[in-house]
């Protein structure tokens, strides 16, 4: 009598694997359903996205699906290998190894995130390099959003993009902007609709270096930052990861209309105004150089055309960060009301 085929022979790709766990979250103007059978991976999803305000764009939310798969996997080194970006027409992949990878298929509005138990010991890398890759890439491609490496704060539906090199002080500026009553949208991953310049993001975490903590003069806030988990970037820089959902600062509850670009320069301002307007077009090359990935996206040209109506400013450091945050608040107060 012939042997019965094994489950791996009947379903070699795991297509029929049960997915009894489901979580539906509104993120980046999309309704994203996470499905799988691993409570550990759903804990990762909750750590990243639970409790966030739903930022709905004008059009009906896109329905997306992300499947989560937990593998036993081989042991990983102390620092997991950096993902390799691969793909082809209609298929995008972040590949760490055979047990840790993300596949994104925008045309099908689906993604697969595979994470091993060994990678779960590096929860920050698993979330940042595999789970966020799926959420950000799938939402941006389906929605036609332009992804920008920039922070964003705002108020009453108006938003400012904070651009600048790593270490320029964008995160600390965003933190103090929250203390000034401005809504926090995102620390470094802003997504914009190129036609009408509406900004969305994930207002969950803020990352602060040790050498910046001396700039926090609020004892309670400083204690919260020091008590936050510590993460290590691949560059070797270590930071405190502050979960903004557990602080009293305001988070953006709706998309923000872009009303200004602020190029943050961490160098001190010894003379002249700390905040100065930039001549139209004088900053376009600097913007393009700071956004190599966005420049390759379909909406980049339309985005640039719309920016011709948006003022831009250079901001240097003068005094404590709260003084710069006050200047941001003043800029937003001067901007035209959101339609």
């Amino acid at each position: 009598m012939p042997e019965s085929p094994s489950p791996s022979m009947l379903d070699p790709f795991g297509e029929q694997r049960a997915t009894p766990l489901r979580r539906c979250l509104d993120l980046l103007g999309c309704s994203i359903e996470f499905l799988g059978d691993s409570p550990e991976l759903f804990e990762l999803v909750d750590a990243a996205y639970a409790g966030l305000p739903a930022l709905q764009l004008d059009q009906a939310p896109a329905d997306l699906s992300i499947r989560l798969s937990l593998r036993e996997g081989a042991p990983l080194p102390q620092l997991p290998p950096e993902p390799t970006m691969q793909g082809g027409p209609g298929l995008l992949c972040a590949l760490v190894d055979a047990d840790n990878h993300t596949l994104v298929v925008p045309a099908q509005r689906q993604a697969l995130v595979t994470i091993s138990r060994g990678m779960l010991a590096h929860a920050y890398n698993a979330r940042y390099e595999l789970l966020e890759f799926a959420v950000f890439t799938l939402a941006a491609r389906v929605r036609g959003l332009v992804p920008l490496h920039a922070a964003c704060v705002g108020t009453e539906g108006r938003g400012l993009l904070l651009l600048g090199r790593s270490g320029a002080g964008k995160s600390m500026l965003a933190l103090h902007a929250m203390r000034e009553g401005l809504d926090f949208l995102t620390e470094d991953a802003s997504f914009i609709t190129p036609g009408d310049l509406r900004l969305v993001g994930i207002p969950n975490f803020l990352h602060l270096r040790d050498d910046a903590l001396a700039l926090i003069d609020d004892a309670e806030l400083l204690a919260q930052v020091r008590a936050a988990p510590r993460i290590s970037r691949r560059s070797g820089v270590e930071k405190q990861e502050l979960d903004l959902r557990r602080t009293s600062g305001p988070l953006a509850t709706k998309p923000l209309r872009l009303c200004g670009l602020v190029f943050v320069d961490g160098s001190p301002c010894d003379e002249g105004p700390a905040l100065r307007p930039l001549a139209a077009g004088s900053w376009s090359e600097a913007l393009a150089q700071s956004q190599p990935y966005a420049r390759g996206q379909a909406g980049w040209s339309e985005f640039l055309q719309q920016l011709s109506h948006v003022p831009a400013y250079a901001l240097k450091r003068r005094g404590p960060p709260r003084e710069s945050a006050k200047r941001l608040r003043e800029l937003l107060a001067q901007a035209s009301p959101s339609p």
Side-chain angles (χ1 to χ4, degrees):
M1 182 176 180
E3 294 184 4
S4 299
S6 66
S8 61
M9 294 174 62
L10 292 171
D11 185 25
F13 300 105
E15 297 169 278
Q16 301 173 30
R17 185 174 176 179
T19 55
L21 301 179
R22 295 172 184 262
R23 187 90 78 252
C24 191
L25 298 172
D26 293 323
L27 303 169
L28 301 177
C30 301
S31 177
I32 303 182
E33 183 180 41
F34 297 88
L35 57 159
D37 63 357
S38 166
E40 296 96 327
L41 293 184
F42 277 81
E43 289 176 6
L44 196 68
V45 170
D46 288 341
Y49 307 121
L52 290 171
L55 302 175
Q56 296 291 356
L57 293 166
D58 294 339
Q59 58 267 59
D63 293 326
L64 311 180
S65 175
I66 297 179
R67 180 165 176 170
L68 308 173
S69 177
L70 180 65
R71 300 282 294 268
E72 290 302 322
L76 291 173
Q78 185 173 1
L79 180 65
E82 186 171 1
T84 299
M85 300 296 129
Q86 299 183 1
L91 177 64
L92 306 168
C93 176
L95 176 65
V96 176
D97 58 25
D99 300 305
N100 296 281
H101 49 263
T102 293
L103 299 174
V104 178
V105 189
Q108 298 296 322
R109 300 190 173 201
Q110 295 184 24
L112 169 68
V113 179
T114 301
I115 295 175
S116 71
R117 292 190 182 278
M119 179 63 87
L120 278 179
H122 306 274
Y124 170 74
N125 297 91
R127 185 191 78 225
Y128 185 70
E129 297 175 342
L130 295 175
L131 181 61
E132 286 191 2
F133 176 80
V135 171
F136 288 173
T137 306
L138 188 59
R141 293 299 176 98
V142 171
R143 273 293 194 189
L145 305 172
V146 175
L148 299 170
H149 180 64
C152 183
V153 296
T155 186
E156 298 180 354
R158 304 186 296 271
L160 295 172
L161 277 175
L162 310 180
L163 303 116
R165 60 175 176 78
S166 178
K170 300 186 297 295
S171 295
M172 184 58 66
L173 179 57
L175 177 64
H176 281 80
M178 290 179 67
R179 295 183 62 197
E180 287 295 314
L182 299 185
D183 298 331
F184 177 90
L185 181 66
T186 178
E187 176 186 41
D188 63 3
S190 297
F191 296 84
I192 193 163
T193 55
D196 59 6
L197 302 185
R198 299 281 175 172
L199 286 153
V200 290
I202 305 290
N204 48 5
F205 297 112
L206 196 64
H207 298 88
L208 300 167
R209 295 169 52 140
D210 286 345
D211 56 6
L213 301 190
L215 300 173
I216 301 176
D217 55 9
D218 182 299
E220 182 179 354
L221 177 60
L222 181 60
Q224 287 182 325
V225 174
R226 292 193 183 280
R230 195 169 182 82
I231 60 96
S232 295
R233 301 284 201 195
R234 289 196 175 273
S235 62
V237 174
E238 294 191 347
K239 298 187 177 185
Q240 301 298 118
E241 185 176 68
L242 180 64
D243 190 336
L244 298 176
R245 293 163 289 183
R246 300 180 181 179
T247 68
S248 58
L251 303 180
T253 58
K254 60 182 179 180
L256 302 176
R257 180 179 58 83
L258 178 62
C259 63
L261 304 176
V262 179
F263 291 85
V264 180
D265 185 342
S267 60
C269 179
D270 298 323
E271 57 183 25
L275 179 71
R276 60 181 180 85
L278 297 174
S282 64
W283 43 266
S284 57
E285 183 62 27
L287 175 67
Q289 291 298 321
S290 70
Q291 308 295 328
Y293 176 63
R295 288 163 56 189
Q297 302 308 301
W300 179 255
S301 295
E302 184 180 8
F303 170 58
L304 288 184
Q305 291 174 359
Q306 295 297 325
L307 281 184
S308 62
H309 307 292
V310 176
Y313 307 86
L315 178 63
K316 286 194 172 186
R317 176 166 51 88
R318 172 176 284 170
R322 66 174 176 271
E323 295 301 320
S324 295
K326 289 178 181 177
R327 294 184 177 96
L328 298 184
R329 187 180 62 185
E330 292 167 359
L331 277 182
L332 286 164
Q334 297 166 7
S336 59
S338 178

